[in-house]
């Protein structure tokens, strides 16, 4: 059986602010819609499912994020995920300039949790808290392959 990662879905508080954050980092909006009806109730497993969605794609065309903002049922506020919690953890991006990426993130009020680390002179990387508390990892390769 062949398998391919389709996308990572993330529920957000503010769809427009989250789109602005990820498009400023270089992703492109490739689709938007409002979805509801029996098919979404069945697929998602929520009665009365109704959401605004946006599909974003990385510049290389391989990665996609599906962002969704619930209209119904009401979104449930939870504590932001911690790096050591079981379950969905974070979304990670390779960047060619981590300092430039962090400047962009800062314009959205998003900063590293602790700082930028150097992993064995192979990567500079950091975790930051993005819109809606999303954990985002940014990594810059230090060695050219």
């Amino acid at each position: 059986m062949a398998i391919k990662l389709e996308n990572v879905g993330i529920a957000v508080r503010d769809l427009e602010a989250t789109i602005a954050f990820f498009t400023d980092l270089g992703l492109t909006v490739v689709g938007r819609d409002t979805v509801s009806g029996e098919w979404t109730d069945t697929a998602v497993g929520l009665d009365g499912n109704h959401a605004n969605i946006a599909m974003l794609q990385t510049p290389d065309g391989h990665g996609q994020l599906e962002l969704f903002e619930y209209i119904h049922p009401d979104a449930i506020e939870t504590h932001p995920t911690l790096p050591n919690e079981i379950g969905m953890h974070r979304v990670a991006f390779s960047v060619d300039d981590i300092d430039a990426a962090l400047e962009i993130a800062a314009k959205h009020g998003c900063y590293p949790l602790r700082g930028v680390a150097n992993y064995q002179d192979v990567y500079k990387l950091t975790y930051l808290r993005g819109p809606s508390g999303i954990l985002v990892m940014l990594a810059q390769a230090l060695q050219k392959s």
Side-chain angles (χ1 to χ4, degrees):
M1 177 188 82
I3 188 167
K4 174 183 136 188
L5 179 65
E6 182 63 29
N7 65 63
V8 174
I10 304 172
V12 300
R13 238 178 254 112
D14 183 334
L15 185 62
E16 298 308 318
T18 308
I19 289 170
F21 173 79
F22 285 114
T23 56
D24 282 356
L25 283 175
L27 279 72
T28 303
V29 176
V30 293
R32 293 182 72 135
D33 203 358
T34 299
V35 296
S36 64
E38 184 179 335
W39 75 269
T40 62
D41 293 359
T42 300
V44 176
L46 289 173
D47 290 333
N49 184 52
H50 189 184
N52 293 318
I53 63 170
M55 189 66 74
L56 283 72
Q57 185 168 298
T58 57
D60 66 2
H62 295 293
Q64 290 191 334
L65 295 180
E66 181 180 351
L67 305 175
F68 39 96
E69 179 181 54
Y70 276 94
I71 299 167
H72 185 271
D74 290 337
I76 300 169
E77 291 287 337
T78 61
H79 294 289
T81 303
L82 296 174
N84 62 333
E85 286 185 27
I86 302 298
M88 186 64 183
H89 192 243
R90 53 130 174 91
V91 58
F93 295 98
S94 296
V95 296
D96 59 5
D97 184 341
I98 197 166
D99 295 323
L102 288 172
E103 286 179 23
I104 292 167
K107 291 178 185 176
H108 295 270
C110 305
Y111 302 94
L113 298 183
R114 184 163 292 167
V116 177
N118 182 315
Y119 174 71
Q120 299 181 0
D121 290 327
V122 176
Y123 289 102
K124 284 175 36 177
L125 55 102
T126 191
Y127 278 30
L128 60 89
R129 186 78 60 198
S132 298
I134 301 165
L135 273 176
V136 177
M137 185 183 93
L138 300 173
Q140 175 186 337
L142 297 176
Q143 301 176 5
K144 302 292 181 205
S145 51

